[in-house]
Amino acid sequence: MKLLDLQVPHDWVDYNGHMNDAEYARVFSLGVEALMDTIGLDEAGRRQHGYTLYTLETHLCYRREAHEGQSLCLEVMLLERDAKRLHVFFEMYDAERTLLATSEQMLMGIDVEAGRPAPFPAPIDAAIGALPSAEPEAWPEQAGRRIGLPPAKR
């Protein structure tokens, strides 16, 4: 599901002539905000429900360089969920649909007043149920990866 379109601004480009690694993280953070808007946790929804999302963990994979002025499209897929958490997978594409980066994230629903995790309010839960999702056998190749060196060959 498409969440966000933007272009790489000049100040996101580093000394290598492409988008700085931290700016990829910024784009995925903007994607979380767009996801929140989509499921009813925009500013008004957060206020109405006294509820928000926190990011617990993220795994960002850089696939290709992005350059100044380049168009970016961010898409999201729900991998797993429970009463309080979302396991989501974001993909960043260029205008030609070349995969530039991915970000796998675990998001936690938070009762703002209590400052603690809490189940999703019913309307938010229903909106989450409408998100595109994938069964584990159909997850993107980059999902569920761990960081590490391959075993040494003997």
Side-chain angles (χ1 to χ4, degrees):
M1 176 173 131
K2 184 174 167 180
L3 284 178
L4 187 64
D5 285 310
L6 59 129
Q7 287 189 314
V8 178
H10 172 76
D11 59 338
W12 289 7
V13 176
D14 66 13
Y15 47 84
N16 292 315
H18 53 78
M19 194 163 79
N20 181 277
D21 59 341
E23 303 304 340
Y24 284 80
R26 180 197 307 245
V27 172
F28 289 117
S29 182
L30 293 171
V32 170
E33 290 180 17
L35 174 62
M36 290 175 66
D37 291 351
T38 299
I39 63 171
L41 287 175
D42 56 3
E43 185 178 347
R46 290 190 304 273
R47 192 172 40 253
Q48 176 187 351
H49 299 290
Y51 198 85
T52 192
L53 294 180
Y54 286 2
T55 303
L56 299 180
E57 185 175 344
T58 186
H59 185 168
L60 201 156
C61 292
Y62 304 94
R63 309 295 288 181
R64 300 280 185 276
E65 297 172 358
H67 301 277
E68 183 176 347
Q70 188 170 7
S71 294
L72 305 177
C73 172
L74 200 66
E75 298 181 4
V76 69
M77 173 187 308
L78 181 65
L79 299 179
E80 300 175 292
R81 66 173 294 192
D82 64 16
K84 303 180 233 183
R85 293 174 297 185
L86 300 177
H87 180 188
V88 295
F89 192 80
F90 293 96
E91 294 172 310
M92 181 191 308
Y93 292 96
D94 66 11
E96 288 77 37
R97 298 275 310 149
T98 302
L99 183 63
L100 302 176
T102 64
S103 180
E104 185 173 2
Q105 299 190 24
M106 185 65 68
L107 307 173
M108 174 69 78
I110 301 291
D111 178 314
V112 174
E113 187 173 317
R116 307 268 315 144
F120 298 110
I124 306 308
D125 189 64
I128 291 167
L131 292 174
S133 61
E135 295 298 321
E137 61 275 0
W139 284 8
E141 177 185 334
Q142 296 86 5
R145 292 176 45 172
R146 73 172 196 74
I147 296 175
L149 298 175
K153 294 184 181 179
R154 297 177 187 196

